[in-house]
Structure formats: structure tokens, C-alpha cells
Amino acid sequence: MRIRKNVWPRRYVDWLCFLLIGVFMPIVFIFEMIVVLPLIHPPGSFLHTFTFAMAAFLIFNITGNFVACVMVDTSVGVILNGGVCYERTKGTYPYGNGSWQANLQEIFGKRMHLVWLSPFLQSELIDSNDIWKID
């Protein structure tokens, strides 16, 4: 996967999502954990520790998913067309299978709908992927 050099968002909607998840969520998280949580549960109690641990787990998962989405953002169109970075720069897609469903099935295998839900499921690939079909 090619990561773009300029990782800043391009559109206004992307900037709003970036500000919401990258800036405002951590500020709200810190406020909730430092100010609000001690008022609800006494510090050091089981519920305080459990709530803090679950909140930290959630904030790290949300931030991690956001980073992964930003990294994949530029690759989705190329994958659906059946190309890699070289094809994207040239504008030709000789390895495309004709439809985006066929391209995704070549990547994820025969059980692609289930693999989206859990990447640990076994899904046989359609081809051996060592011989490329060129249009």
C-alpha cells in the first residue's frame, strides 16, 4: 500500500471528521475521565477502574480505526478498479476483472463477504495469484 506524503485531509468533510476524532474526542475523553468519572464512582473502586479501562480501550480502538481509514482512503478506488499504484499513475488497469465485485473477490477469496466481518476466516483464493491475467 502506498501512503500519501500529504496526510492532511483534502475536503471540508474530511477536516470535520479529523477534528472530531483527532482533536475533540481526546479532549472530551480526558475531561470525562478526570472530572466526571470520579464524581460518579469513587476513585480506586472496582467500577471506577473498570469504567476507566473500558473507556481507554474504546478511545484507542476508535483512534486506531480512524488511522486505518485514513491510510486506506486513497487505495479504495484503485483496488476497485483492479490496479496498484503504478496503474493509478498511468491511468490504465490491465489487471482489472471487469467489475469491482470480481476485483474484491480476487483479493479476499470466495468467501469475501464473511472475510470482511472477520479476517481470521479461511477463504480460498480464486487464482494462485502467481500468474496475472492481462487484458
Side-chain angles (χ1 to χ4, degrees), residues 5-135:
K5 292 178 182 176
N6 183 9
V7 296
W8 295 109
R10 296 179 184 166
R11 301 176 299 173
Y12 291 118
V13 174
D14 295 337
W15 270 105
L16 291 175
C17 289
F18 172 74
L19 289 175
L20 175 70
I21 296 174
V23 176
F24 298 130
M25 253 178 100
I27 292 171
V28 170
F29 172 76
I30 292 169
F31 175 78
E32 293 285 333
M33 293 299 109
I34 293 175
V35 176
V36 177
L37 185 60
L39 296 176
I40 297 173
H41 302 295
S45 68
F46 171 75
L47 287 175
H48 181 273
T49 306
F50 179 75
T51 305
F52 186 84
M54 289 296 106
F57 176 76
L58 285 174
I59 195 75
F60 285 122
N61 275 305
I62 290 170
T63 307
N65 285 330
F66 175 70
V67 169
C69 289
V70 168
M71 290 175 60
V72 172
D73 184 32
T74 59
S75 301
V76 172
V78 176
I79 290 171
L80 294 179
N81 287 328
V84 292
C85 291
Y86 176 77
E87 282 84 11
R88 192 188 103 224
T89 58
K90 298 297 180 189
T92 61
Y93 300 98
Y95 304 114
N97 291 327
S99 72
W100 63 270
Q101 290 101 340
N103 291 332
L104 288 179
Q105 193 168 26
E106 186 171 339
I107 294 170
F108 293 115
K110 294 179 182 176
R111 300 172 62 190
M112 71 175 191
H113 294 56
L114 295 175
V115 173
W116 285 0
L117 298 174
S118 174
F120 300 111
L121 294 174
Q122 185 172 353
S123 180
E124 295 178 18
L125 296 177
I126 296 173
D127 295 325
S128 64
N129 289 333
D130 59 351
I131 300 172
W132 292 73
K133 297 176 281 188
I134 300 176
D135 295 338

